[in-house]
Amino acid sequence: MARSLSRTTRTRLAVAGAVAAALAVGAPAAYASLDGEARPSSSATSAASTTASTTARGKPFTETRLFFGTERPDGGPAVTDKQFMAFIDKEVTPGFPDGLTIQDGRGQWRDSNGRIERERSYELILLYPTGEARKKDVLIEEIRGDYEKAFAQDSVARLDERTRADF
């Protein structure tokens, strides 16, 4: 029995090795069919081709994400979709007329009393040329402050990342 188990194991290893070899040989052809370029199979040339194909595209942009909660710490009614969209129209769109993205979410955070709070939230994604970051920063900070005041919020979280974008 140990002998047949060993033979089975060897057979499985041989099959796995053959499959791996077939995949390795077929990989350059698969890449060629995806992007229309033939790639040589030598590892040095393939590395150079891979580097060339990962050239950065687009122009430098900054992506800012703002996270807006909807529950009010004072116990008042939650911010509605209609109220939030009116805020976007009045406070955000004038400074970012080229476009923006809003996503619905569920948020969780620890309040000033140490309690975990969960609430419906909105994520606002703004994308703008990095060269305009200083000017846009002022507008974004106004948006955060205006939302905090208008809807009695403790804060509006902000995340900034540099990226590249192509439209």
Side-chain angles (χ1 to χ4, degrees), residues 68-72 74-93 102 104 120-122 124 143 146-153:
F68 299 89
T70 58
E71 299 296 319
R72 298 179 197 235
D74 62 6
V79 178
T80 66
D81 287 340
K82 186 175 180 179
Q83 290 171 315
F84 185 76
M85 291 312 297
F87 177 83
I88 293 296
D89 291 344
K90 181 181 176 196
E91 304 293 336
V92 181
T93 300
I102 299 167
D104 290 324
R120 188 173 56 85
S121 60
Y122 299 98
L124 172 64
I143 291 166
D146 290 348
Y147 189 82
E148 290 168 6
K149 288 177 195 161
F151 300 107
Q153 296 293 299

Side-chain angles (χ1 to χ4, degrees), residues 115-127:
R115 289 186 304 249
I116 299 295
E117 299 287 339
R118 292 181 175 99
E119 63 186 324
R120 188 173 56 85
S121 60
Y122 299 98
E123 177 183 14
L124 172 64
I125 304 168
L126 303 168
L127 192 62

Side-chain angles (χ1 to χ4, degrees), residues 43-65:
S43 61
T45 309
S46 291
S49 295
T50 301
T51 302
S53 69
T54 58
T55 303
R57 297 201 194 310
K59 296 179 182 171
F61 271 72
T62 299
E63 177 182 7
T64 297
R65 294 173 180 257

Side-chain angles (χ1 to χ4, degrees), residues 125-146:
I125 304 168
L126 303 168
L127 192 62
Y128 47 92
T130 299
E132 297 178 16
R134 193 167 293 201
K135 180 175 76 172
K136 297 297 186 180
D137 179 68
V138 173
L139 297 174
I140 292 166
E141 288 306 303
E142 287 176 6
I143 291 166
R144 293 175 73 198
D146 290 348

